[in-house]
Amino acid sequence: MSAKILDGKAVSQRIKTELKAEVEKLKQTGIKPALAVVIVGDDPASKIYVRNKKLACEFCGIKSLEFALPAETTQKELLALIERLNNDNTISGILCQLPLPEGLDEEAVINAISPAKDVDAFHPSNVGKIMIGNFDFLPCTPAGVMELIAESGIDVSGKKCVVVGRSNIVGKPMSMLLLHKNGTVTICHSRTKDLAKECREADILVAAVGVPELIRGDCVKEGAVVIDVGMNRLENKKLVGDVAFSEAAEKAAAITPVPGGVGPMTIAMLMKNTVKAAVLNSTGKN
Ligand code: NDP
């Protein structure tokens, strides 16, 4: 079988182009979306993500403000900045790039961001809303995956979906979004007894593990849609996913590449959330 490549770069470009037009219209009504990105320390991967987010903002016409703090920043200083951004009416969305340097409490920072400006949708209040299915913001990576699944042409309803990984930022919300679309969802993790067997059942397989090429060809059912969230930098600097791409592509009906699959979609969804935050905050819904 020759798999359809789910081109996240192209789909994200389409979404960003639509957003650009929406932002132009909003500006005429006085709504100016603005994203504040907080980065602490000098993690090289985080710097690249922040730069890409800034470029996407520029493309969409969203104002982006970067707050780069030194690694020695204290919890108190970081929380004070978040508080200032929460109270700044010109800021629509706030994102604090994770991971934070050792000694800083990520959970406290996530909790400090106003749910109305929480464009990552990590705040417990937004997580709860996602669980209930009545949400303002969807978490960016799982939302991007749903767009790519839609792109594959498969209807999730009634399909067997297997999500490998149960992190709060990807695996768990991913499972919930598939459930909302009436998928029959299995969540696998490091204690799953026979991972390959579980994966082989999947009509839709989402890998969000962080282990290079863990999902081999023998884990993929013939005709499945395979979504690879993983972004793993090898020692030789090559970026690979959690799925052994060429083996899986021989069996899958559709598959995402790494890079160029889920990564760009995550950023497009962040832009979408920022525009939504600007609208919601301007109408006083939040
Ligand atoms: P975490 O490390 O938080 O979670 C990894 C999950 O994988 C855990 O639930 C863990 O299980 C499970 N796991 C680990 N090893 C195995 C194994 N051998 N078999 C089965 N399950 C296993 O990672 P994230 O969710 O934050 O990220 C996952 C990947 O996605 C990473 O490569 C990350 O870089 C990438 N990522 C990509 C994004 C994008 O935009 N493309 C955005 C966010 C993340 P347990 O809970 O039992 O420990």
Side-chain angles (χ1 to χ4, degrees):
M1 172 168 298
S2 104
K4 174 181 180 182
I5 305 297
L6 300 171
D7 184 347
K9 233 173 153 176
V11 179
S12 69
Q13 195 55 39
R14 204 168 68 212
I15 292 169
K16 284 187 293 181
T17 304
E18 285 164 14
L19 283 171
K20 183 182 159 85
E22 192 180 338
V23 169
E24 265 169 35
K25 275 199 200 139
L26 285 174
K27 282 182 178 166
Q28 286 163 18
T29 68
I31 298 173
K32 296 179 191 149
L35 175 66
V37 178
V38 180
I39 176 168
V40 189
D42 353 83
D43 178 56
S46 291
K47 281 186 168 172
I48 295 173
Y49 297 144
V50 167
R51 195 188 63 209
N52 289 340
K53 288 167 187 175
K54 197 173 165 187
L55 288 173
C57 280
E58 275 169 21
F59 179 85
C60 296
I62 296 171
K63 183 174 175 187
S64 76
L65 298 99
E66 187 180 325
F67 297 86
L69 306 179
E72 314 73 65
T73 302
T74 63
Q75 183 78 12
K76 206 172 157 202
E77 287 165 336
L78 181 54
L79 292 179
L81 171 61
I82 304 274
E83 188 56 21
R84 181 155 70 78
L85 297 172
N86 280 341
N87 293 325
D88 184 338
N89 290 336
T90 65
I91 305 281
S92 329
I94 304 168
L95 173 156
C96 185
Q97 187 65 43
L98 303 178
L100 292 172
E102 209 140 305
L104 293 173
D105 180 352
E106 285 186 359
E107 201 178 335
V109 172
I110 288 170
N111 289 346
I113 294 174
S114 161
K117 297 189 177 186
D118 172 36
V119 285
D120 262 335
F122 291 166
H123 190 284
S125 152
N126 286 323
V127 173
K129 285 183 175 182
I130 291 157
M131 185 95 174
I132 291 163
N134 179 16
F135 40 76
D136 295 320
F137 305 118
L138 284 177
C140 303
T141 301
V145 170
M146 294 308 287
E147 294 279 343
L148 288 175
I149 291 174
E151 187 71 13
S152 77
I154 197 175
D155 179 6
V156 177
S157 184
K159 297 295 186 309
K160 185 110 178 54
C161 307
V162 174
V163 178
V164 190
R166 56 172 165 180
S167 71
N168 288 332
I169 63 165
V170 190
K172 280 186 205 162
M174 186 70 249
S175 311
M176 205 48 63
L177 299 195
L178 290 164
L179 183 63
H180 289 327
K181 290 283 179 197
N182 302 313
T184 301
V185 185
T186 300
I187 308 172
C188 298
H189 44 78
S190 65
R191 316 286 170 87
T192 296
K193 286 269 187 295
D194 188 344
L195 182 65
K197 178 172 167 279
E198 297 294 341
C199 292
R200 269 195 303 273
E201 299 278 312
D203 301 308
I204 299 171
L205 177 61
V206 181
V209 191
V211 177
E213 302 184 331
L214 174 75
I215 308 296
R216 314 298 313 188
D218 68 352
C219 300
V220 177
K221 179 174 158 179
E222 202 75 41
V225 172
V226 179
I227 309 284
D228 190 352
V229 178
M231 293 212 283
N232 310 295
R233 187 74 63 184
L234 301 181
E235 270 181 19
N236 64 9
K237 302 270 184 262
K238 196 178 165 211
L239 189 68
V240 298
D242 293 339
V243 176
F245 180 84
S246 39
E247 288 178 22
E250 276 179 27
K251 294 222 180 128
I255 187 166
T256 59
V258 176
V262 176
M265 292 302 296
T266 297
I267 296 185
M269 293 299 117
L270 174 68
M271 298 300 111
K272 203 169 181 176
N273 280 349
T274 305
V275 173
K276 187 158 191 197
V279 173
L280 291 179
N281 290 327
S282 77
T283 56
K285 182 174 179 286
N286 277 312

